[in-house]
Amino acid sequence: MNGGLIRLSDAEMQRFLVDGYLVLQPELPEGFHDRVYDRLGTVIERGGNPFNNLLPLVPELGRVFGHPRVAGALASILGDDYYLHMHRHCHDRAPGNEAQRLHKDSLGNSRYAVDGNRRHHHARWAMAFYYPQHTDEEMGPTAIVPRSQYLVEQQSEQDEIHLTGPAGTVVLVHYDIWHRAAGTVNAARNRYMVKFLFTRMSDPVQPSWRHEPGAAAPALEHSGMAGSAGGGSRADLPEVWGHQWRWHLGQSGAGAGLPGSADGRLAALFEQLAGEDECAALQAAYRLGRCGSGAAQPLAEALRSSHERVRRNAAYGFAPLGAAAVPALRDLAGDGDPAVRARAVDALGDVGPPARAGETALTAALADPEQVVREQAADALGLVCGGAGDASAAAAALAAVIQDDNDTVRRNAALSLARIGSGAASAADRVAGALAAGCDDDNLYVNGYSVLGLRRLATPRAHRELLARLEEARWEARETAPAGLRRK
């Protein structure tokens, strides 16, 4: 683990997994946040919202997200090799702004969902909200619905809490939490909220927080854990929470089986997948995943269902199944229906490295005639093969699709190559060439992930390509730069 970071405790980690957020108060010099507030105001006044150029124009933000308390929390949740994503935004709320509707952030900045609304539960993506000014109820604070990060169905504003606090407050949230900006009421000045996005680059193999083995896990197995949100959503999902805890410990699918898994409970659990109670359906999906290999084929068949709720909820059962899910999903990856193929490929990716036996099927899916299948395969290969030893074959196949006609396929391939990194091994030179071409792509995410991929590939050629791009990309970062020289 990286030294100097202030990592989360077991209780803090559990609160994040259950409630979907953590509030942090990094200690910075007196007047620091006032200076950030003033600089944000100057930048916005002179050139409008800087969007993804926020960090070079307001470099002080690097001290906030690099603070040992904030960086330590991010490393605890996302692993030590997490990535500061290219997407940034300053939410500027003026006095009199109306409230937003509750929403989840777009998957366009993270990953594209199968069937339009499926979300992944594993914390591979997170957001940080930073408030440079004191924020109270009158300033239109961000509102979130605790425990809503695992739910797709619309939440009620009655269950929300408002994120108020002193200047310098940082809130880490699961990417998929339901949230909105509350309306401003007689605020004396603009309320800024700076949002940064972070990405996990490798699935956990051991805890990355201050974990005391055996001491805290039982508290997560029931909904009444100490320190959980006092208000907000009543979502009660101990099966989901327990899986997330084991996944972060690097123990997903290990020793988590249910006794008597072959008995009549399977039929009852499958019936619940279609129920209108989303929490009960999710509980059933995760219980099915703990019933062992006997549940794999029925879960796979559920991905063929014409009932959107059934196929969406069933997909969550594969992650706790782990390697036992691969044979059934591998077969479905060759199904005649492209929607079924895409769901199977997506589920293999969500399983992660335990699905390594599905690598050949995923590689073949990169050549699928249907775009949606190629998109999911390009994403899944990095999740399955990243951090899992030699992944030369997968890396070579991904390098080939960096030239795909579709932006999303190219973007996902570049991120997957970055996740594989030095695991490209014998394909490293080919990968370096593909990533160098990706650095010149017109798509922001393709070139951003390609730069990251070169850094993580870390071969002499990768370093040469990376340095060449760094020289070409040099620009005047101050907000006073001539308008024609500022990046848009």
Side-chain angles (χ1 to χ4, degrees), residues 377-441:
D379 184 53
L381 268 170
L383 297 173
V384 169
C385 298
D390 187 354
S392 298
L398 287 164
V401 300
I402 288 286
Q403 301 299 319
D404 193 277
D405 291 338
N406 178 258
D407 282 4
T408 305
V409 175
R410 300 199 307 277
R411 183 196 78 165
N412 290 352
L415 176 56
S416 283
L417 285 172
R419 285 188 161 128
I420 290 171
S422 60
S426 60
D429 195 61
R430 181 176 180 182
V431 168
L435 290 172
C439 289
D440 298 324
D441 198 283

Coordinates of all heavy atoms in Angstrom, one line a residue, residues 377-441:
A377 N -17.9 -6.4 -25.3 CA -16.7 -7.2 -25.3 C -15.5 -6.4 -25.1 O -14.5 -6.8 -24.3 CB -16.6 -8.0 -26.6
A378 N -15.4 -5.2 -25.7 CA -14.2 -4.4 -25.5 C -14.1 -3.9 -24.1 O -12.9 -3.8 -23.6 CB -14.3 -3.2 -26.4
D379 N -15.2 -3.7 -23.4 CA -15.1 -3.3 -22.0 C -14.8 -4.5 -21.1 O -14.0 -4.5 -20.2 CB -16.5 -2.7 -21.6 CG -16.5 -2.2 -20.1 OD1 -15.6 -1.4 -19.8 OD2 -17.4 -2.6 -19.4
A380 N -15.5 -5.7 -21.4 CA -15.4 -6.9 -20.5 C -14.0 -7.5 -20.5 O -13.5 -7.9 -19.5 CB -16.4 -7.9 -21.0
L381 N -13.3 -7.4 -21.6 CA -11.9 -8.0 -21.7 C -11.0 -7.4 -20.7 O -10.1 -8.1 -20.1 CB -11.4 -8.0 -23.1 CG -11.7 -9.2 -24.0 CD1 -11.3 -8.9 -25.4 CD2 -11.0 -10.4 -23.5
G382 N -11.0 -6.1 -20.5 CA -10.1 -5.4 -19.6 C -10.5 -5.8 -18.1 O -9.6 -5.9 -17.3
L383 N -11.8 -6.0 -17.8 CA -12.2 -6.3 -16.5 C -11.8 -7.8 -16.2 O -11.4 -8.1 -15.0 CB -13.7 -6.2 -16.4 CG -14.3 -4.8 -16.5 CD1 -15.8 -4.8 -16.5 CD2 -13.7 -3.9 -15.4
V384 N -11.9 -8.7 -17.2 CA -11.6 -10.1 -16.9 C -10.1 -10.3 -17.0 O -9.6 -11.1 -16.1 CB -12.3 -10.9 -18.0 CG1 -11.8 -12.4 -18.0 CG2 -13.8 -10.9 -17.8
C385 N -9.3 -9.7 -17.8 CA -7.9 -10.0 -18.0 C -7.0 -9.0 -17.3 O -5.8 -9.2 -17.2 CB -7.6 -10.0 -19.5 SG -8.5 -11.3 -20.4
G386 N -7.5 -7.8 -16.9 CA -6.7 -6.9 -16.2 C -6.2 -7.4 -14.8 O -6.9 -8.0 -14.1
G387 N -4.9 -7.3 -14.6 CA -4.3 -7.8 -13.3 C -4.3 -9.3 -13.1 O -4.1 -9.8 -12.0
A388 N -4.5 -10.0 -14.2 CA -4.6 -11.5 -14.1 C -3.4 -12.2 -14.9 O -3.7 -13.2 -15.5 CB -5.9 -11.9 -14.7
G389 N -2.2 -11.7 -14.8 CA -1.1 -12.3 -15.4 C -1.0 -12.0 -16.9 O -1.4 -10.9 -17.4
D390 N -0.4 -12.9 -17.7 CA -0.2 -12.7 -19.1 C -1.5 -12.6 -19.8 O -2.3 -13.6 -19.8 CB 0.7 -13.8 -19.7 CG 1.1 -13.5 -21.1 OD1 0.6 -12.5 -21.7 OD2 1.9 -14.3 -21.6
A391 N -1.8 -11.5 -20.5 CA -3.0 -11.3 -21.2 C -2.7 -10.9 -22.6 O -3.4 -10.0 -23.2 CB -3.9 -10.3 -20.5
S392 N -1.6 -11.5 -23.2 CA -1.1 -11.0 -24.5 C -2.2 -11.2 -25.6 O -2.4 -10.4 -26.5 CB 0.1 -11.8 -24.9 OG 1.2 -11.5 -24.0
A393 N -2.9 -12.4 -25.6 CA -3.9 -12.6 -26.6 C -5.0 -11.6 -26.6 O -5.4 -11.1 -27.6 CB -4.4 -14.1 -26.5
A394 N -5.5 -11.3 -25.4 CA -6.6 -10.4 -25.3 C -6.1 -9.0 -25.7 O -6.8 -8.2 -26.3 CB -7.1 -10.3 -23.8
A395 N -4.9 -8.6 -25.3 CA -4.3 -7.3 -25.6 C -4.2 -7.1 -27.1 O -4.5 -6.1 -27.7 CB -3.0 -7.1 -24.9
A396 N -3.7 -8.2 -27.8 CA -3.5 -8.1 -29.2 C -4.9 -7.9 -29.9 O -5.0 -7.1 -30.9 CB -2.9 -9.4 -29.8
A397 N -5.9 -8.6 -29.5 CA -7.2 -8.5 -30.1 C -7.8 -7.1 -29.8 O -8.4 -6.5 -30.7 CB -8.2 -9.5 -29.5
L398 N -7.6 -6.5 -28.6 CA -8.0 -5.2 -28.3 C -7.3 -4.1 -29.1 O -7.9 -3.1 -29.6 CB -7.9 -4.9 -26.8 CG -8.9 -5.6 -25.9 CD1 -8.4 -5.6 -24.5 CD2 -10.2 -5.0 -26.0
A399 N -6.0 -4.4 -29.3 CA -5.2 -3.4 -30.1 C -5.8 -3.3 -31.5 O -5.8 -2.2 -32.1 CB -3.8 -3.9 -30.2
A400 N -6.3 -4.4 -32.1 CA -6.9 -4.4 -33.4 C -8.1 -3.5 -33.5 O -8.4 -2.9 -34.5 CB -7.2 -5.8 -33.9
V401 N -8.9 -3.5 -32.4 CA -10.2 -2.7 -32.5 C -10.1 -1.3 -32.1 O -11.1 -0.6 -32.1 CB -11.3 -3.4 -31.7 CG1 -11.6 -4.8 -32.2 CG2 -11.0 -3.4 -30.2
I402 N -8.8 -0.8 -31.8 CA -8.6 0.6 -31.6 C -9.0 1.4 -32.9 O -9.3 2.6 -32.8 CB -7.2 0.9 -31.2 CG1 -6.9 0.4 -29.8 CG2 -6.8 2.4 -31.3 CD1 -7.5 1.3 -28.7
Q403 N -9.0 0.7 -34.0 CA -9.4 1.3 -35.3 C -10.9 1.0 -35.6 O -11.3 1.3 -36.8 CB -8.5 0.7 -36.4 CG -7.0 1.0 -36.1 CD -6.7 2.5 -36.0 OE1 -7.2 3.3 -36.8 NE2 -5.8 2.8 -35.1
D404 N -11.7 0.5 -34.7 CA -13.1 0.3 -35.0 C -13.8 1.6 -35.4 O -13.4 2.7 -35.0 CB -13.8 -0.3 -33.8 CG -15.2 -0.9 -34.0 OD1 -16.1 -0.1 -34.1 OD2 -15.3 -2.1 -34.2
D405 N -14.8 1.4 -36.2 CA -15.5 2.6 -36.7 C -16.3 3.3 -35.6 O -16.7 4.5 -35.7 CB -16.5 2.3 -37.8 CG -15.8 1.9 -39.1 OD1 -14.6 2.3 -39.3 OD2 -16.4 1.2 -39.9
N406 N -16.6 2.6 -34.5 CA -17.5 3.1 -33.5 C -16.7 3.7 -32.3 O -15.8 3.1 -31.8 CB -18.4 2.0 -32.9 CG -19.3 2.5 -31.8 OD1 -19.0 2.2 -30.6 ND2 -20.3 3.2 -32.1
D407 N -17.0 4.9 -31.9 CA -16.3 5.6 -30.8 C -16.3 4.8 -29.5 O -15.3 4.7 -28.8 CB -17.0 7.0 -30.5 CG -16.6 8.0 -31.5 OD1 -15.9 7.7 -32.5 OD2 -17.0 9.2 -31.3
T408 N -17.4 4.2 -29.2 CA -17.5 3.5 -27.9 C -16.7 2.2 -27.9 O -16.1 1.9 -26.9 CB -19.0 3.2 -27.6 OG1 -19.8 4.4 -27.6 CG2 -19.1 2.5 -26.2
V409 N -16.7 1.5 -29.0 CA -15.8 0.3 -29.1 C -14.3 0.7 -28.9 O -13.6 0.1 -28.1 CB -16.0 -0.4 -30.4 CG1 -15.0 -1.5 -30.6 CG2 -17.4 -0.9 -30.6
R410 N -13.9 1.8 -29.6 CA -12.5 2.3 -29.5 C -12.2 2.7 -28.0 O -11.2 2.4 -27.5 CB -12.3 3.4 -30.4 CG -12.5 3.0 -31.9 CD -11.8 4.0 -32.8 NE -12.1 5.4 -32.6 CZ -13.2 6.0 -33.1 NH1 -14.1 5.4 -33.8 NH2 -13.4 7.3 -32.8
R411 N -13.2 3.5 -27.5 CA -13.0 4.0 -26.1 C -12.8 2.8 -25.1 O -11.9 2.8 -24.3 CB -14.2 4.8 -25.7 CG -14.1 5.5 -24.3 CD -15.4 6.0 -23.8 NE -16.2 4.9 -23.3 CZ -17.3 5.1 -22.6 NH1 -17.7 6.3 -22.3 NH2 -18.0 4.1 -22.2
N412 N -13.7 1.8 -25.2 CA -13.7 0.7 -24.3 C -12.4 -0.1 -24.5 O -11.8 -0.6 -23.5 CB -14.9 -0.2 -24.4 CG -16.2 0.5 -23.9 OD1 -16.1 1.5 -23.3 ND2 -17.3 -0.1 -24.2
A413 N -12.0 -0.3 -25.7 CA -10.8 -1.0 -26.0 C -9.5 -0.3 -25.4 O -8.7 -1.0 -24.8 CB -10.6 -1.2 -27.5
A414 N -9.5 1.0 -25.5 CA -8.4 1.7 -24.9 C -8.3 1.6 -23.4 O -7.3 1.4 -22.8 CB -8.4 3.2 -25.4
L415 N -9.5 1.7 -22.8 CA -9.5 1.6 -21.3 C -9.1 0.1 -20.9 O -8.4 -0.1 -19.9 CB -10.9 1.9 -20.8 CG -11.1 1.7 -19.3 CD1 -10.1 2.5 -18.5 CD2 -12.6 2.1 -18.9
S416 N -9.6 -0.9 -21.7 CA -9.2 -2.2 -21.3 C -7.7 -2.5 -21.5 O -7.1 -3.2 -20.7 CB -10.0 -3.2 -22.2 OG -11.3 -3.3 -21.8
L417 N -7.1 -1.9 -22.5 CA -5.7 -2.0 -22.7 C -5.0 -1.3 -21.5 O -3.9 -1.8 -21.1 CB -5.3 -1.4 -24.0 CG -5.6 -2.2 -25.3 CD1 -5.3 -1.5 -26.5 CD2 -4.8 -3.6 -25.3
A418 N -5.5 -0.2 -21.1 CA -4.9 0.4 -19.9 C -5.0 -0.5 -18.7 O -4.1 -0.6 -17.8 CB -5.6 1.8 -19.6
R419 N -6.2 -1.1 -18.5 CA -6.3 -2.1 -17.4 C -5.4 -3.3 -17.5 O -4.9 -3.7 -16.4 CB -7.8 -2.5 -17.3 CG -8.7 -1.5 -16.8 CD -10.1 -2.0 -16.5 NE -10.9 -1.1 -15.6 CZ -12.1 -0.7 -15.9 NH1 -12.7 -1.0 -17.0 NH2 -12.7 0.1 -15.0
I420 N -5.2 -3.7 -18.6 CA -4.2 -4.9 -18.8 C -2.8 -4.4 -18.6 O -2.0 -5.1 -18.0 CB -4.4 -5.5 -20.2 CG1 -5.8 -6.2 -20.3 CG2 -3.3 -6.4 -20.6 CD1 -6.1 -6.7 -21.7
G421 N -2.5 -3.2 -19.1 CA -1.1 -2.6 -18.8 C 0.0 -3.5 -19.2 O 0.1 -4.1 -20.3
S422 N 0.9 -3.8 -18.3 CA 2.1 -4.6 -18.5 C 1.8 -6.0 -18.8 O 2.6 -6.8 -19.2 CB 3.1 -4.4 -17.4 OG 2.5 -4.9 -16.1
G423 N 0.5 -6.4 -18.5 CA 0.1 -7.8 -18.8 C 0.1 -8.1 -20.3 O -0.2 -9.2 -20.7
A424 N 0.2 -7.1 -21.2 CA 0.2 -7.3 -22.6 C 1.4 -8.1 -23.1 O 1.4 -8.8 -24.1 CB 0.3 -5.9 -23.3
A425 N 2.5 -8.1 -22.3 CA 3.7 -9.0 -22.5 C 4.1 -9.1 -23.9 O 4.6 -8.1 -24.5 CB 3.3 -10.4 -21.9
S426 N 3.9 -10.3 -24.5 CA 4.5 -10.5 -25.9 C 3.8 -9.6 -26.9 O 4.3 -9.5 -28.1 CB 4.4 -12.0 -26.3 OG 3.1 -12.4 -26.3
A427 N 2.6 -9.0 -26.6 CA 1.9 -8.2 -27.6 C 2.2 -6.7 -27.3 O 1.6 -5.8 -27.9 CB 0.4 -8.4 -27.5
A428 N 3.2 -6.4 -26.4 CA 3.4 -5.1 -25.9 C 3.8 -4.1 -27.1 O 3.3 -2.9 -27.1 CB 4.6 -5.0 -24.9
D429 N 4.6 -4.5 -28.1 CA 4.9 -3.6 -29.1 C 3.7 -3.2 -30.0 O 3.5 -2.1 -30.4 CB 6.1 -4.1 -30.0 CG 6.7 -3.1 -30.9 OD1 7.3 -2.1 -30.3 OD2 6.6 -3.2 -32.1
R430 N 2.9 -4.2 -30.3 CA 1.7 -4.0 -31.1 C 0.8 -3.1 -30.3 O 0.1 -2.2 -30.9 CB 1.1 -5.3 -31.4 CG -0.2 -5.2 -32.2 CD -0.7 -6.6 -32.6 NE -1.9 -6.5 -33.4 CZ -2.6 -7.6 -33.8 NH1 -2.2 -8.8 -33.5 NH2 -3.7 -7.4 -34.5
V431 N 0.6 -3.3 -29.0 CA -0.2 -2.5 -28.2 C 0.2 -1.1 -28.1 O -0.5 -0.1 -28.2 CB -0.4 -3.1 -26.8 CG1 -1.0 -2.1 -25.8 CG2 -1.1 -4.4 -26.8
A432 N 1.6 -0.9 -28.0 CA 2.1 0.5 -28.0 C 1.8 1.2 -29.3 O 1.4 2.4 -29.2 CB 3.6 0.4 -27.7
G433 N 1.9 0.6 -30.4 CA 1.5 1.2 -31.7 C 0.1 1.6 -31.7 O -0.3 2.7 -32.2
A434 N -0.8 0.7 -31.3 CA -2.2 1.0 -31.3 C -2.6 2.1 -30.4 O -3.4 3.0 -30.7 CB -3.0 -0.3 -30.9
L435 N -2.0 2.1 -29.2 CA -2.3 3.2 -28.3 C -1.7 4.5 -28.7 O -2.3 5.6 -28.5 CB -1.7 2.9 -26.9 CG -2.4 1.7 -26.1 CD1 -1.7 1.4 -24.9 CD2 -3.9 2.1 -25.8
A436 N -0.6 4.5 -29.4 CA 0.0 5.7 -30.0 C -1.0 6.3 -31.0 O -1.2 7.5 -31.1 CB 1.3 5.5 -30.6
A437 N -1.6 5.4 -31.8 CA -2.6 5.9 -32.8 C -3.8 6.4 -32.0 O -4.5 7.4 -32.4 CB -3.0 4.8 -33.7
G438 N -4.2 5.8 -30.9 CA -5.3 6.2 -30.1 C -5.1 7.6 -29.5 O -6.1 8.3 -29.3
C439 N -3.9 8.0 -29.3 CA -3.6 9.3 -28.7 C -4.0 10.4 -29.7 O -4.2 11.6 -29.3 CB -2.1 9.4 -28.4 SG -1.6 8.4 -27.0
D440 N -4.1 10.1 -31.0 CA -4.5 11.0 -32.0 C -6.0 11.0 -32.4 O -6.4 11.7 -33.3 CB -3.6 10.8 -33.2 CG -2.2 11.0 -33.0 OD1 -1.8 11.9 -32.2 OD2 -1.3 10.3 -33.6
D441 N -6.7 10.1 -31.6 CA -8.1 10.0 -31.9 C -8.9 11.3 -31.6 O -8.6 12.0 -30.7 CB -8.7 8.8 -31.1 CG -10.0 8.3 -31.6 OD1 -11.1 8.9 -31.5 OD2 -10.0 7.2 -32.3

